Amino acid sequence: MTPKIVVCIATHINCARRLNFLKLALTSLAMQTSAPDAVYIGASIPDNSPHMHELTELLGSHAGHHCNITVGQKTQFEHLRDICRANEFQHSAAHVMFLDDDDLYTPDRVEYFRRFLTDNPVDICTDKYAWIYEDYEQTGVVSAISG
């Protein structure tokens, strides 16, 4: 069985630079060689922000993504908590990947994670885990740990 993978993104848009980071992150996600089963985005933005229209337009252009915009500031964990509590979060048996709004995924990131989980099944109902991380600065490779 192919593992379900959900990507969660949390962002606070307080300037044009943060909005541009989010655009680049979403572009890297759209270029995946293996698409995630779902994408959840939690975004917060200050009241009366000049970037509100551009943010709603950006998130609206990504059909199929589950998006929630909050006026006011939230922390990453508040966004992620709200995503997991949301009624539309139907992926309780999925593996979750996190994408920071100022990070980029390599094109094979989701495919690598899915292949690792296929080759090393993890029972998400127990205390087992899979932690996959990149260490490009020091080694240039993707590493995986399971336990």
Side-chain angles (χ1 to χ4, degrees):
M1 182 166 81
T2 303
K4 284 186 177 181
I5 296 180
V6 173
V7 174
C8 294
I9 304 170
T11 185
H12 179 68
I13 305 299
N14 59 358
C15 62
R17 191 182 95 215
R18 297 299 305 184
L19 187 60
N20 191 52
F21 285 156
L22 179 60
K23 287 178 189 176
L24 294 172
L26 290 171
T27 298
S28 77
L29 191 56
M31 296 173 62
Q32 292 299 297
T33 56
S34 176
D37 294 286
V39 176
Y40 291 87
I41 304 168
S44 58
I45 191 165
D47 193 20
N48 298 319
S49 170
H51 307 293
M52 178 62 91
H53 176 73
E54 197 173 355
L55 176 62
T56 56
E57 206 170 79
L58 172 65
L59 296 182
S61 70
H62 289 273
H65 292 1
H66 305 273
C67 304
N68 182 38
I69 299 175
T70 302
V71 175
Q73 186 167 355
K74 284 187 174 182
T75 67
Q76 266 191 325
F77 289 106
E78 287 173 321
H79 282 298
L80 298 173
R81 176 202 62 207
D82 293 348
I83 288 168
C84 291
R85 288 181 176 170
N87 290 333
E88 78 254 6
F89 193 79
Q90 303 290 322
H91 299 279
S92 60
H95 299 276
V96 178
M97 296 178 70
F98 299 100
L99 173 58
D100 286 343
D101 61 349
D102 61 349
D103 288 341
L104 304 175
Y105 273 3
T106 56
D108 63 345
R109 177 75 180 252
V110 174
E111 178 183 356
Y112 180 89
F113 191 55
R114 185 172 276 132
R115 188 173 49 246
F116 174 83
L117 292 170
T118 299
D119 295 345
N120 303 280
V122 176
D123 182 353
I124 60 177
C125 296
T126 69
D127 60 352
K128 292 189 176 189
Y129 62 90
W131 178 21
I132 299 175
Y133 62 95
E134 297 165 329
D135 186 12
Y136 288 112
E137 288 182 15
Q138 292 188 7
T139 64
V141 299
V142 176
S143 301
I145 300 171
S146 65

